[in-house]
Structure formats: C-alpha cells, structure tokens
Amino acid sequence: EAGVAQSPRYKIIEKRQSVAFWCNPISGHATLYWYQQILGQGPKLLIQFQNNGVVDDSQLPKDRFSAERLKGVDSTLKIQPAKLEDSAVYLCASSFGRTSGPYNEQFFGPGTRLTVL
Amino acid sequence: AQSVTQPDIHITVSEGASLELRCNYSYGATPYLFWYVQSPGQGLQLLLKYFSGDTLVQGIKGFEAEFKRSQSSFNLRKPSVHWSDAAEYFCAVIYGNKLVFGAGTILRVKS
C-alpha cells in the first residue's frame, strides 16, 4: 500500500513570497490533516478535511494560510505572504475514518521542510 | 490548560541498555494516548496507543508503555535499545477531536 505522498520535500523562499505544498493521501482515506511542526515543538494541527469539506480550521492563520481539497483526494496548502516564523516542517496525514479517535489511525507523510529567509 | 509534557528534550543511551521516555498529560477524563516515532526525513509512525483496558500496552519494534492514572503519565519503555532506535519520539493525546503532541524527545544511541 502506497503511503501519504508530499511534495516538494524542501523549499526555501524569501519572506513575503508565496508557497504551496501538495499532499496525496492514502487511497480511500476520507480524512486529511495538515500539521505544522516548528523546530523543537510537536506537530500542531492546522486544518482537517473530511472528503472535500473542512472539519476544523480553528488553528489555521487564515490571513495568510489557505488550504483546499478539491474532489476529496489531493490537497494543497498555501502560504501567502510567508513570514519568517512560518519556517517549519509541514506534515500531511490521512485516515480512513472521520474523526481523530483512537480507532482511526493517522498515517503521516514525510513532510515538506520550509525555510523562509 | 490541557497539555502534553515530555520533560526530556534529549536522551542518550548505550546500545543494549534499557530505555524509558517520559510523558505526562493534563486531562480530566480517561485520555486516549499515543506514542509516535519520527526518523530523520520520514513521517511519524505510530508505535502504540492506549484507550482502555490493560494499562500496559505493547507496541511495534519491541516498545511498551504503561498508563498510570494516578501520575497522569504514559511512559514509553524498551528493555534493550538498538542503534536503529535513534529517532525523535512524540507522545500525543486526543483532546476533543484533535491529536495534540508533546514537544518530543530525541533519542541518541551510542555504541
């Protein structure tokens, strides 16, 4: 079974530029998550989709971050404009079921490491 | 505030020695608890989880964890560490509908 795919793996941009990350979840997984992992911290949930609808985006900085999951499969996370504090690893995860419960394991991709100069 | 604390940022153990990584949580009800491992350049992998029943949970790669309600802890253990266990380990808890992670513990294994 193929895992969660993410691209690019690394990205370096200057502040105020825009950037986009792509995620392809495991086939058949209804729920997709984007996490931000700042150096020295654990991953923090940014947004959760169920199929192509947003379940939770309470921790997404909506003035500069946006995400979409067209057709309920692939997803794109965008930052525009980027700030220095956005430097982090952006992780995508997917799960078969609808919620973050104990029976619904999340499978993580390798992440995209973003450096904002 | 609800939180997950991993007190040790770095731990170094000798290959073949035993390991214990600490995790404490703050949560009123019975928590759903997880341990993940993250190797360099790879995504997070679930080692084990606890949500009810026996408080000693067995996981993959020879790891186990024990839930202690009285201490609000869920420490990860392994009796004999291998060099390939060098990685970062995250404790996590389900709060509401979110998976909330601790800051992680980096494990170094010396030969």
Side-chain angles (χ1 to χ4, degrees):
Chain A
E1 177 182 83
V4 177
Q6 291 187 247
S7 67
R9 294 294 309 276
Y10 304 91
K11 189 74 176 180
I12 300 174
I13 62 173
E14 295 190 349
K15 60 183 179 183
R16 290 188 290 273
Q17 287 187 321
S18 62
V19 64
F21 313 126
W22 174 81
C23 173
N24 186 18
I26 293 173
S27 178
H29 279 194
T31 308
L32 186 146
Y33 313 79
W34 282 103
Y35 289 85
Q36 180 191 57
Q37 185 179 13
I38 293 172
L39 186 65
Q41 300 180 20
K44 182 185 80 172
L45 180 69
L46 291 176
I47 188 167
Q48 177 181 341
F49 292 94
Q50 182 187 329
N51 297 313
N52 61 350
V54 175
V55 173
D56 186 344
D57 63 358
S58 58
Q59 298 186 107
L60 185 74
K62 299 181 187 63
D63 57 332
R64 297 183 301 105
F65 286 65
S66 64
E68 59 183 12
R69 191 184 183 198
L70 300 176
K71 301 180 181 179
V73 182
D74 294 8
S75 178
T76 303
L77 177 69
K78 296 180 181 177
I79 308 175
Q80 182 179 3
K83 293 185 175 181
L84 296 176
E85 59 261 35
D86 298 332
S87 293
V89 175
Y90 290 85
L91 295 167
C92 180
S94 70
S95 63
F96 181 77
R98 298 181 180 181
T99 66
S100 297
Y103 301 98
N104 189 29
E105 180 179 347
Q106 294 184 29
F107 294 85
F108 286 81
T112 297
R113 182 177 299 278
L114 173 67
T115 302
V116 182
L117 302 175
Chain B
Q2 296 162 336
S3 64
V4 180
T5 302
Q6 293 182 246
D8 304 303
I9 297 174
H10 298 100
I11 282 186
T12 300
V13 299
S14 298
E15 192 169 14
S18 63
L19 169 70
E20 183 169 28
L21 302 181
R22 296 183 291 164
C23 173
N24 293 96
Y25 64 90
S26 65
Y27 189 61
T30 299
Y32 298 135
L33 296 156
F34 306 79
W35 274 100
Y36 285 83
V37 60
Q38 187 176 36
S39 298
Q42 297 186 25
L44 293 155
Q45 181 183 21
L46 180 65
L47 286 175
L48 48 79
K49 61 186 177 184
Y50 169 82
F51 43 90
S52 67
D54 192 347
T55 56
L56 185 62
V57 180
Q58 301 298 319
I60 61 171
K61 305 185 179 186
F63 285 92
E64 66 178 27
E66 186 172 13
F67 169 59
K68 293 185 177 180
R69 184 187 301 276
S70 61
Q71 299 177 18
S72 297
S73 69
F74 188 56
N75 294 349
L76 182 71
R77 301 194 295 247
K78 187 169 186 179
S80 178
V81 169
H82 188 262
W83 63 266
S84 60
D85 293 323
E88 189 162 15
Y89 292 79
F90 292 92
C91 181
V93 180
I94 297 282
Y95 284 136
N97 201 36
K98 292 186 181 64
L99 190 58
V100 177
F101 290 85
T105 297
I106 297 172
L107 172 65
R108 299 185 178 123
V109 181
K110 59 181 181 181
S111 55

